[in-house]
Amino acid sequence: MRVSVPRSANLPPTLRQLLSNPPTTQPAATSTTVQGWIKSIRAHKNVAFIEVSDGTTSDTLQAVLKGKGKDSGSPSLASSVEGLNVGTSIKINGRLQTSRGAGQACELLVDDLTVLGACDSSYPIQKKHLPPDVLRDHAHLRFRTSQIASTVRLRDTMMREWHDYFEDADYTFIHTPILTSSDCEGAGETFRVTTDPLPRLPTPPAGRESSSPAPHPTFFPNPAYLTVSSQLHLEAPTHAVSRTYTLSPTFRAEPSATSRHLAEFYMLEAEVAFVETLDELMSTVEDGIRGVLNGLLRGEKRRGARARDDLRIVESSLRQDREEKRSKEDVPMSVMVVEDIDPIDRLRQFADRSFVRITYTEAVTILQQQHDVRPFEHVPEWGASLQTEHEKYLAGEKFGAPVFVTNYPQSLKPFYMRLNDEGNSTTPSPTVACFDLLVPGIGELVGGSLREERLLLLERAIEHAGLEKKSYDWYLDLRRYGSVKHGGWGMGWERFVCWVTGVGNIRDVVAFPRWKGNCRY
Amino acid sequence: MRVSVPRSANLPPTLRQLLSNPPTTQPAATSTTVQGWIKSIRAHKNVAFIEVSDGTTSDTLQAVLKGKGKDSGSPSLASSVEGLNVGTSIKINGRLQTSRGAGQACELLVDDLTVLGACDSSYPIQKKHLPPDVLRDHAHLRFRTSQIASTVRLRDTMMREWHDYFEDADYTFIHTPILTSSDCEGAGETFRVTTDPLPRLPTPPAGRESSSPAPHPTFFPNPAYLTVSSQLHLEAPTHAVSRTYTLSPTFRAEPSATSRHLAEFYMLEAEVAFVETLDELMSTVEDGIRGVLNGLLRGEKRRGARARDDLRIVESSLRQDREEKRSKEDVPMSVMVVEDIDPIDRLRQFADRSFVRITYTEAVTILQQQHDVRPFEHVPEWGASLQTEHEKYLAGEKFGAPVFVTNYPQSLKPFYMRLNDEGNSTTPSPTVACFDLLVPGIGELVGGSLREERLLLLERAIEHAGLEKKSYDWYLDLRRYGSVKHGGWGMGWERFVCWVTGVGNIRDVVAFPRWKGNCRY
């Protein structure tokens, strides 16, 4: 792809780099230095095994520390391992050799060992498996567990795969604004941004007269909010460079603190000009998702093999969570179904097969048939939103595959979605050219639509939605000057990471999650 | 790098894709469809030339529309080009052939042409060159000018080069939080985030008693702010995966509305564990910058050649701005120096040579010597901050190269920077192991330091800075458990884009810029 330039030649090799070039002689002819943190330690009488990680790979290195004879003048093994605990950072020199132990490619015969930073027994991240809620209370330290480190690396890798997908298809990445004076959806709980001082306590201080504080000069002339979606802003450059995308933070002051919602989350959003049909648009989404999955499942060493190792580590940790929960709650095995499916097999079925495509109207019919057999909590009705239970049923039990549900009633969707031609339609009320992509285990993963490119219909939709036309004047300009058929979509990034990794709680795929009542750190 | 999967096979080829596969027969045997916007149109009696762009490349396609004989039954040329204006979106079918005109690789012999979206004469983006302040007033439409489209593509390409640099060196990308309860620098104007309703006007409505509004339940238990830097948050995962980075939005309620400041801007920030010396850390920065520049200057077609074309387009537009400004203000050529230097040559000098490294103390001495010859506005003194005029002198007139200035007085820098050993020091007061990277034309581009990894010294620095130790307890934990020497740096992303492109105003390298008094869109 580009000219090879020596990169970071000055930094010592990482563990990933060292392990990807195993020694050719046994042990290696030259000495190697490794720095990292101790993951575990087993000290015997004459030999100690120290498992070291630097987090650049899920592989750890086994350092072998041998005792010296009493008369050698060297310190005894016992004194060498004193003060070495899980979490201690160390620097070791020695010679690499191919390991005879199972599961490890290499081990290091230690010549000398230096403690960089001690770690006493108050360290909360011990070798023992910790449940996710305990780890959440130590968000700043939980990166040091194998499962969270793997999740972090996977999130990184997925981002790179998407960047490659978009580059290959000539999309331009745009940094859309976070501060905005408009509210994309015309709804939703938004955060407001201010430079006003914190409101004072109502009690006036003793000896002072109570008086209103002097009005603070506002930073922006209009109220400013945190963006809830980059879409409208992304449409503007799309009318110049044809294909755009962003991976940008979005915010909702969502009062429900569930495993599916965050106050701050990332959205992967794309817009494409000259897309004429919803099917074309859905194919870009399907191509993207299946391409990224294939990158993880079939990519080579650098990304692919590491990703597969990481997927297996996350899965093994989730299995342990499930088992511990079951044993604590004393649930018999038969009641709580534990899906022990290899994560690679689980993803391969999505990567290999076409996604299902049905209309909203067909979906409602399917749900009503099922409702007669085994009632849902919410009755499925034409004109009503699909509930999470409906979405999970369609993508799970019914199709067992990602499902695009298309052409929802206009009344359920935001103003900018393209109105379908009513000519051949048999639906009770007008529909729009949109889709939700539902995936097994998650429900809604992506939402997208053709955008209304016809000026008059868009103006009418804005009025109909009770929005102020003046605020959308710039957006209408895109239809006044060289309007083109176009469409786009948005994917909850954390939901995608959850879906791929199998992690059940969105708070566990974000470095420092924020939700109602929590903005620690 | 990864398994090749057919990507977006469903989307029609972009102009970039079409032009990178020129036809082998003249004209091409098969028909081609192109969709885009008209950049210019020249209609003669029997032939019209329409320049079309879809923004996926800076290259435009010349569409050649020929008149038909009167008896052919086809519409006349005059009626075919009616309603075609700059900005009109069109779809054309025809056969590609190698162009005989200069500067264009291909042209399209049009068989048929469809108008997708009209564009009347009120369109503000005509072919005429527009000054940057006029374009800023049309931020939603300015992407359609060649200069802004090129800037947008360059920003995208630079991002990809940096992502590759970091991936090659085993860094993990982290989405650090935007909402935060801590203020990294312990200073600076921050934006506060709230779900409180907008403050009411002081006058109570008639017929109602004036009463305090009911207290609004707060969304977060503590005041929440928009982040000013991701650094502290980035240090946490660095103590697990060794090398991390982010390209994340940061916010300052900066009251000065200059060409160098924005209220919302991106920072490229990196942290590296096991870095022992400032020189090592600076080498990572230098490697990164020179590697990215080399990618742009020497990379192949997909990124490199396109980037070089875009650099030249931006430069040519800047030259026009300078010339128009000069002619308007009637400044004689000799007074206003216009640097007409090829942007590729300008960047090559930075990519090819090592950056200068001097200490703050040396910098002050150099500045004082210069001050004796030609006084600065601010007297350079040991212990005082370097001013922009000083920084520009060092990187410009003095060295004409990027300059690392290292080891500033501790009193000038934030608490987390590593205190230098005072043993061999001859400076008047303690210094810290930090650097600012100054670049020609911009001044400060990157700031970085070794981070204080010693618990006691860090605690002392927090107290000394008058900060509440309790708020930094999690940050101190990183030093309590397996602390390692580490360092990091932050680069103003827009400043980097300005430096590489030569654009003088930071507002012109951001899609929708925000500054004091402006949050339009």
Side-chain angles (χ1 to χ4, degrees), chain A residues 107-286:
Chain A
E107 58 187 22
L108 188 81
L109 304 175
V110 177
D111 290 327
D112 63 75
L113 181 155
T114 315
V115 170
L116 301 176
C119 190
D120 69 24
S121 58
S122 67
Y123 184 50
I125 312 293
Q126 294 297 327
K127 192 173 159 56
K128 185 179 165 296
H129 180 79
L130 292 166
D133 53 334
V134 173
L135 290 179
R136 247 168 259 146
D137 289 340
H138 300 286
H140 61 302
L141 298 175
R142 66 176 176 168
F143 306 103
R144 303 168 180 211
T145 63
S146 352
Q147 66 268 37
I148 298 290
S150 286
T151 309
V152 161
R153 283 190 298 266
L154 282 165
R155 185 174 168 133
D156 163 278
T157 304
M158 284 181 237
M159 181 195 78
R160 294 183 197 282
E161 289 289 328
W162 274 108
H163 281 317
D164 283 353
Y165 162 76
F166 284 118
E167 183 177 26
D168 286 355
D170 277 348
Y171 287 73
T172 302
F173 186 92
I174 307 282
H175 277 128
T176 46
I178 313 302
L179 301 177
T180 174
S181 51
S182 75
D183 174 350
C184 169
E185 308 272 331
E189 304 271 350
T190 54
F191 287 104
R192 188 165 57 84
V193 168
T194 177
T195 52
D196 290 348
L198 278 169
R200 298 199 195 162
L201 291 175
T203 331
R208 267 191 169 209
E209 264 182 76
S210 163
S211 67
S212 304
H216 192 78
T218 53
F219 193 86
F220 296 123
N222 296 105
Y225 301 94
L226 295 182
T227 186
V228 297
S229 158
S230 304
Q231 180 207 318
L232 302 193
H233 292 103
L234 210 47
E235 283 186 57
T238 307
H239 282 77
V241 299
S242 293
R243 299 178 186 179
T244 61
Y245 76 111
T246 194
L247 178 58
S248 211
T250 50
F251 302 84
R252 303 234 175 144
E254 170 71 53
S256 52
T258 75
S259 63
R260 294 161 48 91
H261 293 96
L262 289 172
E264 171 181 328
F265 55 98
Y266 274 74
M267 290 272 281
L268 183 68
E269 293 176 273
E271 291 288 323
V272 200
F274 311 113
V275 158
E276 302 202 357
T277 66
L278 197 58
D279 268 319
E280 263 185 295
L281 183 67
M282 289 190 286
S283 293
T284 68
V285 176
E286 185 170 341

Side-chain angles (χ1 to χ4, degrees), chain A residues 91 135 166 177 180 229 300 334 338 340 462 489:
Chain A
K91 179 177 189 167
L135 290 179
F166 284 118
T180 174
S229 158
E300 55 49 274
S334 57
V338 178
D340 278 344
I462 288 174
W489 51 273

Side-chain angles (χ1 to χ4, degrees), chain B residues 324-336:
Chain B
E324 284 182 13
K325 202 175 168 198
R326 195 176 57 218
S327 75
K328 253 189 218 157
E329 296 175 4
D330 204 21
V331 183
M333 189 79 168
S334 58
V335 174
M336 188 165 169

Side-chain angles (χ1 to χ4, degrees), chain B residues 62-375:
Chain B
Q62 175 155 287
V64 182
L65 207 62
K66 287 196 173 144
K68 302 272 165 68
K70 274 195 177 168
D71 306 324
S72 69
S74 302
S76 72
L77 184 65
S79 74
S80 297
V81 299
E82 207 183 281
L84 297 185
N85 299 310
V86 171
T88 304
S89 46
I90 57 172
K91 179 176 188 167
I92 39 183
N93 287 301
R95 279 151 304 131
L96 276 179
Q97 72 173 16
T98 310
S99 175
R100 272 158 290 181
Q104 273 155 333
C106 276
E107 58 188 23
L108 188 81
L109 303 175
V110 177
D111 289 327
D112 62 76
L113 182 154
T114 315
V115 170
L116 302 177
C119 191
D120 69 23
S121 59
S122 68
Y123 184 48
I125 311 293
Q126 295 297 327
K127 191 172 158 55
K128 185 180 165 292
H129 180 80
L130 293 167
D133 52 334
V134 174
L135 290 179
R136 246 168 260 145
D137 289 341
H138 301 285
H140 60 302
L141 299 175
R142 66 176 176 168
F143 306 104
R144 302 168 181 211
T145 64
S146 353
Q147 66 267 36
I148 298 290
S150 286
T151 308
V152 161
R153 283 190 299 266
L154 282 165
R155 186 175 167 131
D156 163 279
T157 304
M158 284 181 238
M159 181 196 78
R160 294 184 197 281
E161 288 290 329
W162 275 107
H163 279 319
D164 284 353
Y165 163 76
F166 284 117
E167 183 177 28
D168 285 355
D170 277 348
Y171 287 74
T172 301
F173 186 92
I174 307 283
H175 278 127
T176 46
I178 314 301
L179 301 177
T180 174
S181 52
S182 76
D183 174 351
C184 169
E185 309 271 330
E189 303 271 351
T190 54
F191 287 104
R192 189 165 56 84
V193 168
T194 177
T195 51
D196 290 349
L198 277 170
R200 298 197 194 163
L201 292 175
T203 330
R208 265 192 171 209
E209 261 182 76
S210 163
S211 65
S212 303
H216 192 78
T218 52
F219 192 86
F220 296 123
N222 296 105
Y225 301 94
L226 295 182
T227 186
V228 297
S229 158
S230 304
Q231 179 206 320
L232 301 192
H233 293 103
L234 210 46
E235 283 185 57
T238 308
H239 282 77
V241 299
S242 293
R243 299 177 186 179
T244 61
Y245 76 110
T246 195
L247 178 58
S248 211
T250 51
F251 304 84
R252 303 233 176 145
E254 170 71 51
S256 52
T258 76
S259 63
R260 295 161 47 91
H261 293 96
L262 290 171
E264 172 180 327
F265 55 99
Y266 274 74
M267 291 272 282
L268 183 68
E269 293 177 272
E271 292 287 323
V272 200
F274 310 114
V275 159
E276 303 202 357
T277 67
L278 198 57
D279 269 317
E280 263 186 296
L281 183 66
M282 289 190 286
S283 293
T284 66
V285 177
E286 186 171 339
D287 273 4
I289 292 177
R290 291 173 59 194
V292 168
L293 292 181
N294 268 308
L296 301 177
L297 299 174
R298 306 197 164 95
E300 55 49 274
K301 184 69 189 162
R302 183 57 172 275
R303 284 190 199 163
R306 194 180 80 168
R308 293 189 286 280
D309 288 346
D310 281 327
L311 283 169
R312 290 203 181 92
I313 282 168
V314 173
E315 177 53 34
S316 128
S317 163
L318 295 173
R319 193 180 304 133
Q320 229 169 318
D321 289 342
R322 287 192 296 261
E323 276 161 18
E324 284 182 13
K325 202 175 168 198
R326 195 176 57 218
S327 75
K328 253 189 218 157
E329 296 175 4
D330 204 21
V331 183
M333 189 79 168
S334 58
V335 174
M336 188 165 169
V337 179
V338 177
E339 289 176 55
D340 277 346
I341 176 170
D342 179 69
I344 314 302
D345 292 339
R346 182 174 64 82
L347 293 175
R348 197 163 281 158
Q349 59 179 324
F350 305 136
D352 287 351
R353 275 185 295 163
S354 289
F355 296 178
V356 176
R357 299 183 184 194
I358 58 173
T359 65
Y360 167 85
T361 305
E362 289 164 344
V364 171
T365 306
I366 291 169
L367 292 167
Q368 284 170 341
Q369 285 163 351
Q370 174 64 15
H371 187 70
D372 292 341
V373 180
R374 201 191 62 218

